[in-house]
mmCIF file of all heavy atoms in Angstrom:
data_model
loop_
_atom_site.group_PDB
_atom_site.id
_atom_site.type_symbol
_atom_site.label_atom_id
_atom_site.label_comp_id
_atom_site.label_asym_id
_atom_site.label_seq_id
_atom_site.Cartn_x
_atom_site.Cartn_y
_atom_site.Cartn_z
ATOM 1 N N TYR A 134 90.578 -48.977 -66.529
ATOM 2 C CA TYR A 134 90.235 -49.389 -65.146
ATOM 3 C C TYR A 134 88.834 -49.013 -64.822
ATOM 4 O O TYR A 134 88.018 -49.703 -64.308
ATOM 5 C CB TYR A 134 91.203 -48.750 -64.098
ATOM 6 C CG TYR A 134 90.777 -48.921 -62.782
ATOM 7 C CD1 TYR A 134 90.980 -50.032 -62.122
ATOM 8 C CD2 TYR A 134 90.044 -47.875 -62.074
ATOM 9 C CE1 TYR A 134 90.420 -50.231 -60.778
ATOM 10 C CE2 TYR A 134 89.557 -48.063 -60.821
ATOM 11 C CZ TYR A 134 89.816 -49.202 -60.177
ATOM 12 O OH TYR A 134 89.291 -49.441 -58.956
ATOM 13 N N ALA A 135 88.473 -47.662 -65.116
ATOM 14 C CA ALA A 135 87.164 -47.140 -64.757
ATOM 15 C C ALA A 135 85.993 -47.816 -65.463
ATOM 16 O O ALA A 135 85.023 -48.035 -64.893
ATOM 17 C CB ALA A 135 87.123 -45.624 -65.059
ATOM 18 N N LEU A 136 86.230 -48.215 -66.783
ATOM 19 C CA LEU A 136 85.149 -48.860 -67.477
ATOM 20 C C LEU A 136 84.908 -50.320 -66.999
ATOM 21 O O LEU A 136 83.828 -50.813 -66.952
ATOM 22 C CB LEU A 136 85.462 -48.762 -68.946
ATOM 23 C CG LEU A 136 85.432 -47.365 -69.640
ATOM 24 C CD1 LEU A 136 85.957 -47.410 -71.046
ATOM 25 C CD2 LEU A 136 84.128 -46.797 -69.474
ATOM 26 N N ARG A 137 86.083 -50.938 -66.717
ATOM 27 C CA ARG A 137 85.939 -52.330 -66.127
ATOM 28 C C ARG A 137 85.218 -52.224 -64.649
ATOM 29 O O ARG A 137 84.438 -52.964 -64.419
ATOM 30 C CB ARG A 137 87.330 -52.950 -65.922
ATOM 31 C CG ARG A 137 87.843 -53.494 -67.273
ATOM 32 C CD ARG A 137 89.135 -54.317 -67.070
ATOM 33 N NE ARG A 137 89.775 -54.763 -68.273
ATOM 34 C CZ ARG A 137 89.425 -55.705 -69.010
ATOM 35 N NH1 ARG A 137 88.311 -56.496 -68.641
ATOM 36 N NH2 ARG A 137 90.086 -56.030 -70.095
ATOM 37 N N ASP A 138 85.679 -51.285 -63.947
ATOM 38 C CA ASP A 138 85.117 -51.108 -62.559
ATOM 39 C C ASP A 138 83.596 -50.715 -62.606
ATOM 40 O O ASP A 138 82.902 -51.252 -61.830
ATOM 41 C CB ASP A 138 85.918 -50.045 -61.816
ATOM 42 C CG ASP A 138 85.519 -49.786 -60.415
ATOM 43 O OD1 ASP A 138 85.572 -50.822 -59.635
ATOM 44 O OD2 ASP A 138 85.061 -48.727 -60.034
ATOM 45 N N SER A 139 83.257 -49.823 -63.486
ATOM 46 C CA SER A 139 81.876 -49.412 -63.498
ATOM 47 C C SER A 139 81.014 -50.262 -64.346
ATOM 48 O O SER A 139 79.695 -50.286 -64.255
ATOM 49 C CB SER A 139 81.772 -47.970 -64.088
ATOM 50 O OG SER A 139 82.159 -48.005 -65.458
ATOM 51 N N ALA A 140 81.494 -51.174 -65.176
ATOM 52 C CA ALA A 140 80.863 -52.102 -66.040
ATOM 53 C C ALA A 140 80.034 -51.247 -67.099
ATOM 54 O O ALA A 140 79.028 -51.765 -67.638
ATOM 55 C CB ALA A 140 79.977 -53.052 -65.286
ATOM 56 N N ALA A 141 80.431 -50.037 -67.304
ATOM 57 C CA ALA A 141 79.766 -49.178 -68.428
ATOM 58 C C ALA A 141 80.158 -49.774 -69.764
ATOM 59 O O ALA A 141 81.276 -50.020 -70.120
ATOM 60 C CB ALA A 141 80.177 -47.829 -68.297
ATOM 61 N N LYS A 142 79.152 -50.080 -70.589
ATOM 62 C CA LYS A 142 79.349 -50.644 -71.972
ATOM 63 C C LYS A 142 79.089 -49.710 -73.009
ATOM 64 O O LYS A 142 79.348 -49.960 -74.193
ATOM 65 C CB LYS A 142 78.440 -51.940 -72.121
ATOM 66 C CG LYS A 142 78.840 -53.007 -71.187
ATOM 67 C CD LYS A 142 80.198 -53.570 -71.498
ATOM 68 C CE LYS A 142 80.549 -54.758 -70.682
ATOM 69 N NZ LYS A 142 81.922 -55.291 -70.942
ATOM 70 N N VAL A 143 78.547 -48.520 -72.690
ATOM 71 C CA VAL A 143 78.181 -47.524 -73.599
ATOM 72 C C VAL A 143 78.965 -46.314 -73.249
ATOM 73 O O VAL A 143 78.912 -45.764 -72.095
ATOM 74 C CB VAL A 143 76.688 -47.210 -73.701
ATOM 75 C CG1 VAL A 143 76.459 -46.030 -74.719
ATOM 76 C CG2 VAL A 143 76.035 -48.478 -74.217
ATOM 77 N N VAL A 144 79.724 -45.605 -74.172
ATOM 78 C CA VAL A 144 80.502 -44.432 -73.910
ATOM 79 C C VAL A 144 80.291 -43.434 -74.997
ATOM 80 O O VAL A 144 80.521 -43.674 -76.141
ATOM 81 C CB VAL A 144 82.005 -44.749 -73.852
ATOM 82 C CG1 VAL A 144 82.735 -43.603 -73.244
ATOM 83 C CG2 VAL A 144 82.281 -45.941 -72.916
ATOM 84 N N PHE A 145 79.830 -42.203 -74.555
ATOM 85 C CA PHE A 145 79.834 -41.041 -75.452
ATOM 86 C C PHE A 145 81.098 -40.314 -75.351
ATOM 87 O O PHE A 145 81.432 -39.924 -74.245
ATOM 88 C CB PHE A 145 78.650 -40.116 -75.019
ATOM 89 C CG PHE A 145 77.185 -40.630 -75.318
ATOM 90 C CD1 PHE A 145 76.609 -41.556 -74.478
ATOM 91 C CD2 PHE A 145 76.536 -40.214 -76.438
ATOM 92 C CE1 PHE A 145 75.390 -42.018 -74.733
ATOM 93 C CE2 PHE A 145 75.300 -40.729 -76.788
ATOM 94 C CZ PHE A 145 74.656 -41.649 -75.963
ATOM 95 N N ALA A 146 81.755 -40.073 -76.391
ATOM 96 C CA ALA A 146 83.084 -39.566 -76.348
ATOM 97 C C ALA A 146 83.407 -38.595 -77.597
ATOM 98 O O ALA A 146 82.879 -38.802 -78.739
ATOM 99 C CB ALA A 146 84.158 -40.685 -76.476
ATOM 100 N N ASP A 147 84.173 -37.521 -77.245
ATOM 101 C CA ASP A 147 84.687 -36.657 -78.374
ATOM 102 C C ASP A 147 85.906 -37.225 -78.991
ATOM 103 O O ASP A 147 86.372 -38.343 -78.655
ATOM 104 C CB ASP A 147 84.942 -35.252 -77.786
ATOM 105 C CG ASP A 147 85.994 -35.227 -76.797
ATOM 106 O OD1 ASP A 147 86.585 -36.210 -76.469
ATOM 107 O OD2 ASP A 147 86.143 -34.078 -76.246
ATOM 108 N N GLY A 148 86.588 -36.505 -79.883
ATOM 109 C CA GLY A 148 87.620 -36.985 -80.656
ATOM 110 C C GLY A 148 88.789 -37.545 -79.928
ATOM 111 O O GLY A 148 89.225 -38.625 -80.043
ATOM 112 N N PRO A 149 89.482 -36.701 -79.079
ATOM 113 C CA PRO A 149 90.573 -37.179 -78.313
ATOM 114 C C PRO A 149 90.339 -38.316 -77.422
ATOM 115 O O PRO A 149 91.108 -39.260 -77.267
ATOM 116 C CB PRO A 149 90.979 -35.916 -77.419
ATOM 117 C CG PRO A 149 90.464 -34.763 -78.300
ATOM 118 C CD PRO A 149 89.219 -35.265 -78.927
ATOM 119 N N ARG A 150 89.179 -38.372 -76.794
ATOM 120 C CA ARG A 150 88.764 -39.434 -75.927
ATOM 121 C C ARG A 150 88.501 -40.704 -76.822
ATOM 122 O O ARG A 150 88.852 -41.762 -76.358
ATOM 123 C CB ARG A 150 87.574 -39.104 -75.065
ATOM 124 C CG ARG A 150 87.863 -38.671 -73.650
ATOM 125 C CD ARG A 150 88.940 -37.512 -73.588
ATOM 126 N NE ARG A 150 88.493 -36.251 -74.278
ATOM 127 C CZ ARG A 150 89.174 -35.204 -74.269
ATOM 128 N NH1 ARG A 150 90.390 -35.092 -73.728
ATOM 129 N NH2 ARG A 150 88.656 -34.121 -74.944
ATOM 130 N N MET A 151 87.891 -40.544 -77.897
ATOM 131 C CA MET A 151 87.618 -41.568 -78.806
ATOM 132 C C MET A 151 88.921 -42.304 -79.249
ATOM 133 O O MET A 151 89.022 -43.518 -79.297
ATOM 134 C CB MET A 151 86.820 -41.155 -80.094
ATOM 135 C CG MET A 151 86.417 -42.267 -80.991
ATOM 136 S SD MET A 151 85.062 -43.249 -80.276
ATOM 137 C CE MET A 151 83.688 -42.109 -80.492
ATOM 138 N N ASP A 152 89.942 -41.518 -79.496
ATOM 139 C CA ASP A 152 91.218 -42.158 -79.803
ATOM 140 C C ASP A 152 91.724 -43.081 -78.807
ATOM 141 O O ASP A 152 92.372 -44.056 -79.005
ATOM 142 C CB ASP A 152 92.316 -41.036 -80.159
ATOM 143 C CG ASP A 152 91.967 -40.247 -81.403
ATOM 144 O OD1 ASP A 152 91.137 -40.772 -82.332
ATOM 145 O OD2 ASP A 152 92.438 -39.094 -81.605
ATOM 146 N N ARG A 153 91.560 -42.615 -77.534
ATOM 147 C CA ARG A 153 92.098 -43.435 -76.404
ATOM 148 C C ARG A 153 91.206 -44.704 -76.107
ATOM 149 O O ARG A 153 91.646 -45.619 -75.531
ATOM 150 C CB ARG A 153 92.231 -42.517 -75.130
ATOM 151 C CG ARG A 153 93.230 -41.299 -75.283
ATOM 152 C CD ARG A 153 93.227 -40.468 -74.019
ATOM 153 N NE ARG A 153 93.524 -39.144 -74.439
ATOM 154 C CZ ARG A 153 93.233 -38.104 -73.705
ATOM 155 N NH1 ARG A 153 92.672 -38.224 -72.478
ATOM 156 N NH2 ARG A 153 93.565 -36.837 -74.058
ATOM 157 N N LEU A 154 89.899 -44.446 -76.479
ATOM 158 C CA LEU A 154 89.012 -45.619 -76.166
ATOM 159 C C LEU A 154 88.990 -46.754 -77.260
ATOM 160 O O LEU A 154 88.713 -47.783 -76.992
ATOM 161 C CB LEU A 154 87.581 -44.975 -76.072
ATOM 162 C CG LEU A 154 87.295 -44.277 -74.729
ATOM 163 C CD1 LEU A 154 86.042 -43.375 -75.001
ATOM 164 C CD2 LEU A 154 87.117 -45.162 -73.653
ATOM 165 N N LYS A 155 89.390 -46.304 -78.548
ATOM 166 C CA LYS A 155 89.363 -47.277 -79.537
ATOM 167 C C LYS A 155 89.995 -48.596 -79.273
ATOM 168 O O LYS A 155 89.548 -49.710 -79.558
ATOM 169 C CB LYS A 155 89.889 -46.630 -80.807
ATOM 170 C CG LYS A 155 88.943 -45.696 -81.491
ATOM 171 C CD LYS A 155 87.710 -46.335 -81.999
ATOM 172 C CE LYS A 155 87.757 -46.628 -83.507
ATOM 173 N NZ LYS A 155 86.460 -47.284 -83.976
ATOM 174 N N PRO A 156 91.262 -48.586 -78.575
ATOM 175 C CA PRO A 156 91.924 -49.870 -78.301
ATOM 176 C C PRO A 156 91.065 -50.676 -77.249
ATOM 177 O O PRO A 156 91.415 -51.921 -77.261
ATOM 178 C CB PRO A 156 93.312 -49.363 -77.684
ATOM 179 C CG PRO A 156 93.544 -47.975 -78.149
ATOM 180 C CD PRO A 156 92.096 -47.360 -78.292
ATOM 181 N N LEU A 157 90.075 -50.137 -76.644
ATOM 182 C CA LEU A 157 89.412 -50.845 -75.601
ATOM 183 C C LEU A 157 88.004 -51.363 -76.243
ATOM 184 O O LEU A 157 87.289 -52.119 -75.479
ATOM 185 C CB LEU A 157 89.074 -49.973 -74.405
ATOM 186 C CG LEU A 157 90.272 -49.311 -73.712
ATOM 187 C CD1 LEU A 157 89.816 -48.360 -72.546
ATOM 188 C CD2 LEU A 157 91.235 -50.419 -73.101
ATOM 189 N N GLU A 158 87.648 -50.866 -77.426
ATOM 190 C CA GLU A 158 86.348 -51.169 -77.932
ATOM 191 C C GLU A 158 86.110 -52.682 -78.036
ATOM 192 O O GLU A 158 85.100 -53.157 -77.547
ATOM 193 C CB GLU A 158 86.257 -50.515 -79.315
ATOM 194 C CG GLU A 158 84.831 -50.652 -79.932
ATOM 195 C CD GLU A 158 84.717 -49.893 -81.281
ATOM 196 O OE1 GLU A 158 85.835 -49.610 -81.831
ATOM 197 O OE2 GLU A 158 83.495 -49.778 -81.816
ATOM 198 N N GLN A 159 87.020 -53.443 -78.612
ATOM 199 C CA GLN A 159 86.774 -54.867 -78.731
ATOM 200 C C GLN A 159 87.006 -55.663 -77.445
ATOM 201 O O GLN A 159 86.135 -56.416 -76.988
ATOM 202 C CB GLN A 159 87.608 -55.479 -79.882
ATOM 203 C CG GLN A 159 87.352 -54.886 -81.245
ATOM 204 C CD GLN A 159 85.948 -55.198 -81.632
ATOM 205 O OE1 GLN A 159 85.362 -56.256 -81.421
ATOM 206 N NE2 GLN A 159 85.303 -54.290 -82.349
ATOM 207 N N PRO A 160 88.031 -55.396 -76.686
ATOM 208 C CA PRO A 160 88.362 -56.114 -75.492
ATOM 209 C C PRO A 160 87.309 -55.935 -74.421
ATOM 210 O O PRO A 160 86.910 -56.939 -73.690
ATOM 211 C CB PRO A 160 89.643 -55.630 -75.007
ATOM 212 C CG PRO A 160 90.402 -55.013 -76.171
ATOM 213 C CD PRO A 160 89.315 -54.486 -77.068
ATOM 214 N N LEU A 161 86.677 -54.781 -74.289
ATOM 215 C CA LEU A 161 85.640 -54.455 -73.356
ATOM 216 C C LEU A 161 84.298 -54.541 -74.019
ATOM 217 O O LEU A 161 83.268 -54.322 -73.169
ATOM 218 C CB LEU A 161 85.918 -53.164 -72.685
ATOM 219 C CG LEU A 161 87.155 -52.835 -71.922
ATOM 220 C CD1 LEU A 161 87.227 -51.604 -71.149
ATOM 221 C CD2 LEU A 161 87.447 -54.013 -70.939
ATOM 222 N N ASP A 162 84.122 -54.905 -75.188
ATOM 223 C CA ASP A 162 82.864 -54.965 -75.850
ATOM 224 C C ASP A 162 82.016 -53.642 -75.695
ATOM 225 O O ASP A 162 80.888 -53.643 -75.228
ATOM 226 C CB ASP A 162 82.043 -56.203 -75.363
ATOM 227 C CG ASP A 162 80.784 -56.475 -76.129
ATOM 228 O OD1 ASP A 162 80.777 -56.112 -77.475
ATOM 229 O OD2 ASP A 162 79.788 -57.028 -75.735
ATOM 230 N N LEU A 163 82.674 -52.556 -76.072
ATOM 231 C CA LEU A 163 82.059 -51.258 -75.887
ATOM 232 C C LEU A 163 81.265 -50.789 -77.057
ATOM 233 O O LEU A 163 81.603 -51.133 -78.266
ATOM 234 C CB LEU A 163 83.189 -50.179 -75.587
ATOM 235 C CG LEU A 163 84.087 -50.326 -74.397
ATOM 236 C CD1 LEU A 163 85.100 -49.321 -74.362
ATOM 237 C CD2 LEU A 163 83.182 -50.383 -73.114
ATOM 238 N N THR A 164 80.174 -50.065 -76.810
ATOM 239 C CA THR A 164 79.467 -49.239 -77.802
ATOM 240 C C THR A 164 79.936 -47.886 -77.708
ATOM 241 O O THR A 164 79.619 -47.178 -76.654
ATOM 242 C CB THR A 164 77.970 -49.365 -77.630
ATOM 243 O OG1 THR A 164 77.574 -50.791 -77.831
ATOM 244 C CG2 THR A 164 77.281 -48.542 -78.727
ATOM 245 N N LEU A 165 80.775 -47.346 -78.626
ATOM 246 C CA LEU A 165 81.309 -46.000 -78.580
ATOM 247 C C LEU A 165 80.406 -45.079 -79.543
ATOM 248 O O LEU A 165 80.076 -45.461 -80.585
ATOM 249 C CB LEU A 165 82.688 -46.018 -79.106
ATOM 250 C CG LEU A 165 83.731 -46.876 -78.359
ATOM 251 C CD1 LEU A 165 85.149 -46.770 -78.847
ATOM 252 C CD2 LEU A 165 83.743 -46.467 -76.921
ATOM 253 N N ILE A 166 80.050 -43.950 -78.880
ATOM 254 C CA ILE A 166 79.148 -43.051 -79.653
ATOM 255 C C ILE A 166 79.914 -41.680 -79.806
ATOM 256 O O ILE A 166 80.289 -41.060 -78.754
ATOM 257 C CB ILE A 166 77.934 -42.827 -78.922
ATOM 258 C CG1 ILE A 166 77.142 -44.193 -78.825
ATOM 259 C CG2 ILE A 166 76.981 -41.828 -79.657
ATOM 260 C CD1 ILE A 166 76.079 -44.232 -77.769
ATOM 261 N N GLY A 167 80.236 -41.365 -81.022
ATOM 262 C CA GLY A 167 81.028 -40.193 -81.271
ATOM 263 C C GLY A 167 80.199 -38.863 -81.037
ATOM 264 O O GLY A 167 79.055 -38.700 -81.443
ATOM 265 N N VAL A 168 80.872 -37.837 -80.453
ATOM 266 C CA VAL A 168 80.307 -36.534 -80.227
ATOM 267 C C VAL A 168 81.186 -35.514 -80.822
ATOM 268 O O VAL A 168 82.453 -35.630 -80.607
ATOM 269 C CB VAL A 168 80.135 -36.188 -78.747
ATOM 270 C CG1 VAL A 168 79.564 -34.837 -78.481
ATOM 271 C CG2 VAL A 168 79.232 -37.327 -77.993
ATOM 272 N N ARG A 169 80.666 -34.584 -81.643
ATOM 273 C CA ARG A 169 81.427 -33.561 -82.315
ATOM 274 C C ARG A 169 82.652 -34.171 -83.033
ATOM 275 O O ARG A 169 82.401 -34.908 -83.970
ATOM 276 C CB ARG A 169 81.869 -32.558 -81.249
ATOM 277 C CG ARG A 169 80.822 -31.789 -80.542
ATOM 278 C CD ARG A 169 81.036 -30.367 -80.358
ATOM 279 N NE ARG A 169 79.673 -29.730 -79.891
ATOM 280 C CZ ARG A 169 79.461 -28.452 -79.945
ATOM 281 N NH1 ARG A 169 80.330 -27.588 -80.581
ATOM 282 N NH2 ARG A 169 78.283 -28.001 -79.523
ATOM 283 N N ASP A 170 83.875 -33.844 -82.743
ATOM 284 C CA ASP A 170 85.006 -34.401 -83.515
ATOM 285 C C ASP A 170 85.201 -35.828 -83.342
ATOM 286 O O ASP A 170 86.166 -36.440 -83.904
ATOM 287 C CB ASP A 170 86.252 -33.627 -83.225
ATOM 288 C CG ASP A 170 86.622 -33.544 -81.728
ATOM 289 O OD1 ASP A 170 85.850 -34.043 -80.919
ATOM 290 O OD2 ASP A 170 87.722 -33.041 -81.405
#
Side-chain angles (χ1 to χ4, degrees):
Y134 171 80
L136 292 174
R137 287 189 184 278
D138 183 59
S139 66
K142 293 297 184 181
V143 175
V144 189
F145 287 82
D147 63 5
R150 265 49 64 178
M151 187 69 75
D152 291 341
R153 296 175 212 164
L154 286 162
K155 286 293 264 182
L157 306 175
E158 185 176 16
Q159 296 301 322
L161 299 187
D162 191 25
L163 300 177
T164 297
L165 301 179
I166 300 161
V168 180
R169 299 221 171 200
D170 53 356

